[in-house]
Amino acid sequence: MPTVKVEMFSGRTPQQKRDLARLVTDAVVESLSVDPAAVRVQIVETERHHSAVGGVLRSDAAGEAKEPHPRR
């Protein structure tokens, strides 16, 4: 049973998630020759303020480039 985990920021519509699940399932079925019923797609959403890159929260960096945290 192939399982695909998709991690993304919150904010997509239920229809976008349906489309994603269908397309991911189709890709797994085609590439691995498995039954679609055997494919699991797990969508994990997180808020931008729960993620950081270079020491900068993604919520702070949204829409503009920020300097990463300086190295010590």
Side-chain angles (χ1 to χ4, degrees):
M1 152 178 49
T3 301
V4 178
K5 183 176 180 180
V6 179
E7 296 182 18
M8 62 186 183
F9 290 126
S10 300
R12 277 32 176 242
T13 66
Q15 186 58 52
Q16 288 174 311
K17 293 176 206 174
R18 282 184 201 98
D19 293 342
L20 174 65
R22 181 182 47 80
L23 291 169
V24 168
T25 298
D26 290 348
V28 172
V29 167
E30 182 178 331
S31 62
L32 300 180
S33 300
V34 296
D35 186 313
V39 179
R40 306 288 185 258
V41 178
Q42 182 182 16
I43 299 173
V44 180
E45 294 183 293
T46 187
E47 298 295 328
R48 289 185 180 273
H49 63 270
H50 293 304
S51 176
V53 174
V56 177
L57 288 177
R58 298 304 295 160
S59 58
D60 293 342
E64 62 182 87
K66 300 269 185 175
E67 289 297 316
H69 186 277
R71 292 186 183 196
R72 291 184 180 188

